[in-house]
Amino acid sequence: MTTTNIRQWLQDRPEIESVFACVCDLNGAMRGKRLPIEKAKSIMDDGLRLPLSVLSVDIWGEDIENNELVFETGDSDGICEHTGRPIVMVNWTSRPSALVMFWMHTEDGTPFPGDPRHALSNIVQRYKARGLTPVVATELEFYLCDPREAQPRPPCSPVTGKRLDSDGALSLDELEHFDEFLNDVYDACHEQGIPADAAISENGAGQFEINMVHVADPLQAADDAVLFKRLVRGIARKHGMAATFMAKPYGDRSGSGFHVHFSLVDENGVNLFDDGGDKGTPLLLNAVGGLLETMHENTLTFAPHQNSYRRLLPGTHAPTGISWGYENRTAAIRIPGGSHKARRIEHRVAGADANPYLVLGSILGGALIGIEQGMEPCAPIDGDAYSQKLDHLPLDWATAIQAFRRGRHVQDIFSRRLQTMLVECKMQELKRFTRYVTDFEYDAYLESV
């Protein structure tokens, strides 16, 4: 946004009194400051200062133990610069406000290598150097639930007042019952420049999916996903509900995924995955080869939390094996059918709880490795992937953390700084989880072992 555009935007919205200035941390959470709206122009022009360590705090917002960004540097500041994303309206707060997205730089203006948005930007620049542009679309699933309960319960229908108690896959009734909520979501997406497309009722009670239109800018696609998750949670509160992007909020219902579709176009806008038929070009196969090669070690970016691994179980509409196939939703990588002109890759591993910048970085980075090294994938699978003997994704969080720590290709995609930050963050979270004993464990073991 130019200075003139900023002034005009503010003049057109005199009701706004405050602005949230935010960066996105490793967990995909927005962190920053609330400022008077009079500061909007100055922070967009000059940036603002935040500790570099704010990007690496754990899921509870606590510093990482022995974090060198805190203890060896005196917790020094970085310089947050405007990403270029226009100011967005936030109208679900008690008073209308605005939000501005920033990314982190060091004192000398160098992009901070631990910033997940910079990590994705670096991958995009590598594609650009080859004359390639990734065209990306995302699909995000989430649950609406009753906010009055400590544990999630499906919401009550705004129409009937009855609590949802069954899976409503592709239910038009469920879409109609929650149309006021969905209308507000679409209005907010329009206001924030998020290209929301189809909405569907998914496989769980109170579960929905909203798809995004393909865009030839992976950074925009990731920004859209981050903003979308925030606005859905905010609008749900406005309607007396809660929204969760947990990968598996219910043990006996479908998990929530974050599927990514992408193709590659050249400088003339030609889809380089399109061979005029059903199979796709050699470039598509190279990309698939790289995705398969890097999938195990990058699983931590697709499934970054303890709860994430409850979703990655056989028969749960989420992949468990490293595989690919044509028009096969049991595979980790699917080549959708339809017109050859829209030939693309769908990556189905990530959960809705993942950081969109890291997910797209891993996917596009893995595909680029396959293209650069001319990797050939194994044969595509037919039939049920769960019943076949395949190399497995990490089965638990600890294994995924170690795979990312030791991954042969991780530093071909992410900086050493980001790799270290993510591993240390997840190790601290894992240690905290291991200290807590669940009620289910007490019920099972307290007087029976």
Side-chain angles (χ1 to χ4, degrees), residues 120-333:
L120 176 57
S121 178
N122 291 339
I123 297 296
V124 173
Q125 291 304 313
R126 287 167 58 187
Y127 274 100
K128 185 177 180 180
R130 298 177 69 93
L132 303 174
T133 299
V135 178
V136 180
T138 63
E139 301 171 350
L140 269 164
E141 297 170 338
F142 61 92
Y143 275 92
L144 294 177
C145 51
D146 190 331
R148 298 170 295 180
E149 307 289 342
Q151 296 183 357
R153 293 183 68 194
C156 295
S157 163
V159 174
T160 67
K162 295 180 180 179
R163 191 175 302 281
L164 303 184
D165 60 1
S166 62
D167 295 343
L170 297 176
S171 167
L172 294 184
D173 289 341
E174 203 158 303
L175 290 173
E176 290 176 354
H177 287 199
F178 289 88
D179 70 331
E180 289 189 10
F181 163 77
L182 292 170
N183 287 340
D184 282 353
V185 167
Y186 275 91
D187 287 346
C189 285
H190 177 74
E191 180 73 40
Q192 296 192 2
I194 299 171
D197 195 14
I200 63 172
S201 173
E202 263 292 350
N203 288 324
Q207 187 186 33
F208 295 90
E209 175 185 286
I210 294 183
N211 303 334
M212 303 296 163
V213 175
H214 286 76
V215 293
D217 183 349
L219 285 171
Q220 179 191 334
D223 290 344
D224 290 340
V226 170
L227 291 172
F228 176 78
K229 292 172 73 171
R230 188 166 188 84
L231 73 82
V232 165
R233 287 191 290 262
I235 292 170
R237 289 194 296 271
K238 177 181 172 182
H239 285 265
M241 299 179 288
T244 179
F245 289 86
M246 282 180 67
K248 192 78 168 178
Y250 303 104
D252 59 350
R253 297 190 188 276
S254 295
S256 291
F258 176 33
H259 299 163
V260 175
H261 294 247
F262 77 98
S263 58
L264 295 177
V265 298
D266 64 15
E267 294 165 334
N268 297 314
V270 175
N271 182 0
L272 299 178
F273 287 169
D274 174 20
D275 68 344
D278 296 332
K279 298 302 181 183
T281 62
L283 191 75
L284 179 146
L285 298 178
N286 293 155
V288 170
L291 291 170
L292 297 174
E293 174 69 20
T294 57
M295 189 176 292
H296 185 274
E297 63 193 58
N298 282 337
T299 297
L300 184 63
T301 64
F302 307 134
H305 306 293
Q306 172 85 341
N307 177 259
S308 305
Y309 294 84
R310 298 187 184 278
R311 171 178 167 267
L312 299 178
L313 296 172
T316 60
H317 301 288
T320 56
I322 297 173
S323 61
W324 75 289
Y326 291 95
E327 199 56 276
N328 189 332
R329 285 184 169 86
T330 68
I333 295 172

Side-chain angles (χ1 to χ4, degrees), residues 1-9 41 44-45 82 84 86-87:
M1 290 181 91
T2 66
T3 297
T4 301
N5 288 341
I6 295 169
R7 289 198 181 105
Q8 187 62 53
W9 194 93
K41 179 183 176 302
M44 291 182 73
D45 288 346
H82 180 218
I87 304 175

